[in-house]
Amino acid sequence: MKIFISTSISLVLFGCSLNIYASEFEFLVKDTSNTTKVCMAAVTDDAELMKRQIKRLSQNGTALSFRTVVNLIQCNKQYIGNFAKKYNAQDTFTYLDKYTNRKNKQRQANFVIKDIAYEQTKGKAKPIVVLVSSK
């Protein structure tokens, strides 16, 4: 019983921490182009919508053309997979990572810098507004 209660509490706390991070950013669209719509779907972690929009952009929906489109779309001057990763859109990043060419993937840093003052005010601050555009 104690294990069940502690597991439940851990899951609730983990869910709360994800919600805090998700509300940290507010995304606004710069234009109404199809590629910007793909960028918005990717960064808001809507994997199904993103897949449909990329398939529409690819010429015939084949895996090869899908891969080409994924490696051509840039959101805020970053490849779409890197853009999704930057804003913690895990579902879309995981999907896009399979199609992103190795040379287009962002290199991993070997260190982490944690701002303690920022962490304490995270839930109280207004969300950071990010203007999303393709290219």
Side-chain angles (χ1 to χ4, degrees), residues 2-134:
K2 288 181 182 180
I3 294 173
F4 175 73
I5 292 172
S6 60
T7 304
S8 299
I9 291 171
S10 298
L11 289 174
V12 168
L13 292 175
F14 180 71
C16 290
S17 68
L18 288 179
N19 289 337
I20 288 171
Y21 190 83
S23 65
E24 187 177 339
F25 299 101
E26 180 181 341
F27 301 101
L28 300 177
V29 213
K30 185 175 181 180
D31 58 51
T32 58
S33 69
N34 290 332
T35 52
T36 300
K37 290 176 184 176
V38 173
C39 292
M40 278 298 288
V43 79
T44 56
D45 214 15
D46 191 345
E48 293 305 314
L49 177 61
M50 182 199 64
K51 290 176 198 177
R52 285 193 309 267
Q53 291 174 336
I54 291 175
K55 284 180 184 176
R56 273 190 226 133
L57 289 174
S58 63
Q59 292 176 353
N60 55 10
T62 64
L64 181 60
S65 61
F66 192 91
R67 180 178 299 278
T68 303
V69 170
V70 166
N71 285 286
L72 288 175
I73 295 176
Q74 290 193 13
C75 308
N76 292 8
K77 299 181 182 178
Q78 300 174 45
Y79 288 101
I80 189 169
N82 298 334
F83 186 64
K85 183 178 181 181
K86 178 178 180 178
Y87 293 105
N88 204 30
Q90 196 59 43
D91 291 340
T92 53
F93 167 70
T94 302
Y95 185 78
L96 291 167
D97 194 47
K98 297 183 284 188
Y99 293 98
T100 305
N101 292 338
R102 185 176 298 152
K103 67 177 183 167
N104 295 340
K105 291 183 182 183
Q106 191 174 22
R107 304 217 187 323
Q108 292 291 333
N110 293 332
F111 58 90
V112 175
I113 299 172
K114 188 172 184 177
D115 186 351
I116 297 170
Y118 175 74
E119 291 293 324
Q120 293 172 349
T121 61
K122 192 187 273 188
K124 301 171 189 168
K126 291 183 179 180
I128 297 169
V129 177
V130 179
L131 190 60
V132 178
S133 69
S134 56

